[in-house]
Amino acid sequence: MNIFVLMKRTFDTEEKISISGGKINEDGAEFIINPYDEYAIEEAIQVRDAQGGEVTVITVGSEEAEKQLRTALAMGADKAVLINTEDDLEYSDQFTTAKILAEYLKDKDADLIIGGNVAIDGGSGQVGPRVAELLNIPYVTTITNLEINGSTVTVVRDVEGDSEVIETSLPLLVTAQQGLNEPRYPSLPGIMKAKKKPLDELELDDLDLEEDDVEAKTKTIEIYLPAQKQAGKVLEGELADQVKELVSLLHNEAKVV
Amino acid sequence: MARKVLVLGEVRDGQLRNVSYEAVGAAKTIAEGGEVVGVLLGASVSSLAEELIQYGADRVVVVEDEKLAQYTSDGYAQGLIAVIESEQPEGLVFGHTSLGKDLSPRVAGKLSSGLISDVTYIEVEGGNIVFTRPIYSGKAFEKKIVTDGLIFATVRPNNIAPLEKDESRTGDVSTLSVDIKDLRTIIKEVVRKATEGVDLSEAKVVIAGGRGVKSEEGFEPLKELAQVLGGAVGASRGACDAEYCDYSLQIGQTGKVVTPDLYIACGISGAIQHLAGMSNSKVIVAINKDPEANIFNVADYGIVGDLFEVVPMLTEEFKKLKVNA
Ligand SMILES: Cc1cc2nc3c(=O)[nH]c(=O)nc-3n(C[C@H](O)[C@H](O)[C@H](O)COP(=O)(O)OP(=O)(O)OC[C@H]3O[C@@H](n4cnc5c(N)ncnc54)[C@H](O)[C@@H]3O)c2cc1C
């Protein structure tokens, strides 16, 4: 089974966000594998272990993503590919990323492609389905279970809390939802082995893509932080009075009930 | 510049979802005086066209086929692409729901267009349609514009105001017949876990419980309060992990994102991953027995106390308010 994982390097979920020069300030921030992509990597490893084959983890980004790719290799992926767009692209959006990934994947005979259902930084959740459409293969998003039986695949899809049991076939692209599995931590031998596993670096040129082919269709014109909330009001006094006051505040001041 | 904008009306349990009316409101802004065309896909949905028109659509195109009875990306994409080809719109709006999130990137991929997802505000500024959306789980916001081609966006439920319903509005309802071909994904079974009653992601009031609720029964007082306020019950991951409630109720970075008018957090500490799902709520109330709990830092109003005392008292007070109103 030829399995590919789409991975993104993101800010750690605990990081505070600040802005400098109109951009999110990255100085000193911790970066991680997007948490949903961790589920994707884990699932890919489990499928390979059950069915045989190879797991390749791909990311589009800058050299800095090598660290997260090595972590994926340490978890158990076989190969990693960094498509480095740092020198070529100033702006990119989901159109850009999906086009690059699809261009890379189109002649790889992928049986299964797994991504996270959303990246916790940009939060758009577009890249998986876009890639599937460009490759003309079926996809199922936000999955919580995956079973492969020959070329028949049964997946469970989370739909706002309800579950759909879906039957489909390979080749297939799926995106991971929380609950799909428990991602493993890299083991020490895993980390040692990862250093020797192949990590290829490509640029747009290697994919026969020009900057114009992948030019973003959208543009960010401003980034800002939410208005600082005024310190909330913690009520005081007898509990019964606090409850009365709260109801009155919600009704008369906040006007939400 | 007047534009023609298509809006996908999303049907659930035989009714249009609220977010579809909000999407019509969004489409009006994008259209800048142009035509807003509703699109309905399903097995038998044409009866809902009138309602879309009453909420502001100028006319509605219906595609009906047995294969569209349930949402699949293959079926819906075929139906929608056919409508897009015949209408040639300059704008497209979906709700940012499970369906919208699944379908919109595929349609954007097919049309080689941009797509601005999860939009919470739309304005016309300096000749551009400017979309505001949360990033970094609501810790920051970005403003985006489309620089090339179709203006395509999905709108987060509960953020963009729908237009006032006008029962005297009329408009043309037409049918487009589309030959829906093979579906590559087949839905074998749907397991309903989400709550009956008010839909959590669209609720105006959310009463959420955390590990402090302590048991499955502990959710009962929260349910009563939700009922009195016409709201929905939600939960932290702490409560879900402890099996006090189903994961379908989880709010946060890995759960649902909600932006109700009123969010009441009961026995929730306010971990950053929880805040990611609710910090943009209009008014936040915290009930927690620990005065140092982080949830008080984002709350507009707080009561330090035992939720099992406070919540039933609140329910009684709100009942009185409703009676007097
Ligand atoms: C990658 C990742 C993703 C995550 N995603 C999510 C997510 O989507 N949603 C989410 O919620 N969490 C998420 N978490 C978990 C999050 O970090 C917290 O662990 C979780 O939110 C804690 O839940 P809690 O507030 O219910 O529990 P606790 O932190 O244990 O807080 C319980 C609170 O209840 C109060 N309390 C106890 N008894 C009473 C009483 N009788 N009356 C009043 N107050 C009482 C306590 O003072 C305490 O503040 C995620 C974590 C990670 C690492």
Side-chain angles (χ1 to χ4, degrees):
Chain A
M1 178 114 22
N2 196 8
I3 308 166
F4 289 84
V5 179
L6 313 180
M7 187 203 83
K8 188 176 188 188
R9 163 184 184 263
T10 60
F11 258 62
D12 193 342
T13 55
E14 302 278 348
E15 285 293 332
K16 288 227 157 54
I17 301 292
S18 65
I19 289 171
S20 67
K23 290 205 164 116
I24 301 283
N25 188 1
E26 299 195 348
D27 291 348
E30 281 291 324
F31 284 85
I32 56 171
I33 295 174
N34 177 42
Y36 293 101
D37 303 350
E38 276 188 352
Y39 298 121
I41 296 164
E42 176 64 36
E43 197 65 19
I45 293 169
Q46 289 186 17
V47 171
R48 178 205 59 198
D49 289 350
Q51 313 257 342
E54 194 174 74
V55 174
T56 307
V57 179
I58 331 165
T59 197
V60 176
S62 69
E63 206 140 319
E64 282 154 342
E66 272 185 23
K67 184 167 168 224
Q68 283 70 33
L69 286 173
R70 287 281 172 214
T71 305
L73 293 171
M75 285 172 75
D78 302 290
K79 294 185 197 165
V81 175
L82 166 65
I83 304 174
N84 192 339
T85 54
E86 210 169 6
D87 296 336
D88 292 328
L89 301 177
E90 199 177 338
Y91 293 113
S92 71
D93 66 1
Q94 298 80 11
F95 168 82
T96 313
T97 307
K99 181 102 188 217
I100 294 170
L101 287 169
E103 204 56 36
Y104 171 80
L105 285 163
K106 70 176 186 195
D107 55 6
K108 297 290 183 292
D109 287 321
D111 297 300
L112 182 64
I113 303 171
I114 316 182
N117 83 76
V118 69
I120 60 166
D121 49 4
S124 79
Q126 294 182 22
V127 169
R130 275 184 184 265
V131 168
E133 170 64 29
L134 294 175
L135 297 174
N136 195 20
I137 61 172
Y139 66 91
V140 183
T141 55
T142 56
I143 71 160
T144 56
N145 196 44
L146 174 71
E147 269 170 47
I148 301 176
N149 210 325
S151 75
T152 309
V153 184
T154 309
V155 280
V156 178
R157 169 167 192 253
D158 169 51
V159 183
E160 299 180 11
D162 292 339
S163 303
E164 284 176 358
V165 181
I166 293 174
E167 210 170 274
T168 181
S169 57
L170 299 176
L172 175 71
L173 183 146
V174 291
T175 71
Q177 171 67 309
Q178 179 194 347
L180 179 60
N181 52 43
E182 279 293 330
R184 69 193 69 190
Y185 289 102
S187 65
L188 201 56
I191 295 169
M192 299 311 289
K193 272 196 223 154
K195 293 183 178 152
K196 297 199 197 84
K197 289 181 179 172
L199 192 162
D200 286 343
E201 191 175 323
L202 305 175
E203 296 194 9
L204 291 188
D205 242 7
D206 302 309
L207 298 173
D208 284 327
L209 283 172
E210 304 282 335
E211 283 152 57
D212 286 354
D213 300 330
V214 297
E215 191 177 330
K217 306 279 182 187
T218 60
K219 185 174 163 185
T220 299
I221 54 171
E222 191 186 335
I223 292 180
Y224 63 97
L225 299 180
Q228 271 288 348
K229 259 197 137 158
Q230 281 194 347
K233 185 169 182 175
V234 175
L235 307 181
E236 287 174 357
E238 289 290 322
L239 201 54
D241 296 334
Q242 288 189 35
V243 168
K244 283 202 176 73
E245 188 184 350
L246 176 61
V247 170
S248 151
L249 285 166
L250 292 174
H251 185 61
N252 300 316
E253 189 180 273
K255 296 188 168 40
V256 285
V257 283
Chain B
M1 189 190 111
R3 304 182 178 83
K4 184 198 271 191
V5 182
L6 296 194
V7 180
L8 179 65
E10 188 176 334
V11 182
R12 182 162 154 153
D13 299 332
Q15 285 186 320
L16 281 161
R17 296 184 68 169
N18 272 338
V19 69
S20 300
Y21 306 132
E22 296 164 1
V24 173
K28 278 275 186 208
T29 307
I30 298 168
E32 292 193 82
E35 193 181 28
V36 173
V37 182
V39 181
L40 289 171
L41 308 172
S44 147
V45 288
S46 52
S47 59
L48 299 167
E50 198 180 337
E51 192 122 18
L52 265 186
I53 291 169
Q54 290 175 351
Y55 273 96
D58 296 302
R59 59 187 174 87
V60 174
V61 180
V62 181
V63 180
E64 287 186 332
D65 190 303
E66 273 310 315
K67 291 201 183 99
L68 299 175
Q70 274 174 310
Y71 168 75
T72 60
S73 69
D74 277 351
Y76 266 53
Q78 290 175 47
L80 199 72
I81 295 288
V83 178
I84 290 169
E85 278 169 0
S86 94
E87 293 286 338
Q88 300 287 327
E90 287 136 315
L92 190 54
V93 187
F94 298 178
H96 195 66
T97 57
S98 188
L99 186 159
K101 288 181 219 178
D102 191 73
L103 182 65
S104 59
R106 168 159 189 188
V107 172
K110 176 91 185 166
L111 302 172
S112 287
S113 79
L115 167 61
I116 302 183
S117 311
D118 199 15
V119 167
T120 55
Y121 189 68
I122 303 178
E123 66 204 308
V124 185
E125 209 180 80
N128 282 316
I129 307 291
V130 179
F131 297 89
T132 300
R133 60 187 300 277
I135 51 175
Y136 296 85
S137 312
K139 289 186 239 176
F141 287 86
E142 65 175 347
K143 288 189 175 187
K144 283 196 102 167
I145 57 170
V146 174
T147 46
D148 181 22
L150 186 74
I151 301 187
F152 188 3
T154 62
V155 296
R156 180 183 285 200
N158 257 348
N159 283 268
I160 290 160
L163 305 175
E164 198 85 38
K165 184 174 183 179
D166 176 356
E167 295 190 0
S168 67
R169 266 180 72 92
T170 54
D172 182 57
V173 179
S174 59
T175 323
L176 186 72
S177 88
V178 182
D179 179 21
I180 306 287
K181 300 214 188 66
D182 37 312
L183 307 180
R184 295 172 299 182
T185 59
I186 308 291
I187 300 175
K188 290 284 172 189
E189 191 188 342
V190 180
V191 185
R192 280 265 172 150
K193 284 190 239 164
T195 39
E196 351 48 87
V198 184
D199 181 348
L200 184 54
S201 51
E202 292 189 333
K204 296 287 179 201
V205 176
V206 173
I207 315 295
R211 225 193 300 267
V213 167
K214 293 199 176 71
S215 66
E216 203 179 329
E217 301 76 59
F219 265 97
E220 286 306 320
L222 277 63
K223 286 184 189 159
E224 280 165 39
L225 178 55
Q227 187 148 32
V228 169
L229 294 174
V233 173
S236 70
R237 173 152 152 197
C240 301
D241 283 345
E243 297 182 6
Y244 304 160
C245 64
D246 194 84
Y247 277 101
S248 62
L249 300 189
Q250 183 182 321
I251 290 167
Q253 187 174 289
T254 40
K256 289 192 172 121
V257 175
V258 298
T259 37
D261 292 344
L262 175 60
Y263 189 91
I264 305 186
C266 313
I268 293 177
S269 59
I272 191 130
Q273 296 90 357
H274 185 75
L275 303 188
M278 47 65 74
S279 63
N280 298 128
S281 302
K282 270 149 231 148
V283 174
I284 298 169
V285 172
I287 301 166
N288 196 302
K289 64 181 187 188
D290 173 10
E292 302 297 323
N294 188 49
I295 191 76
F296 287 114
N297 293 326
V298 297
D300 300 275
Y301 306 111
I303 291 184
V304 177
D306 183 342
L307 74 95
F308 295 107
E309 271 184 77
V310 178
V311 173
M313 285 165 85
L314 263 179
T315 305
E316 286 314 307
E317 256 337 285
F318 279 120
K319 272 190 194 157
K320 283 188 212 161
L321 184 77
K322 300 269 156 180
V323 171
N324 294 338

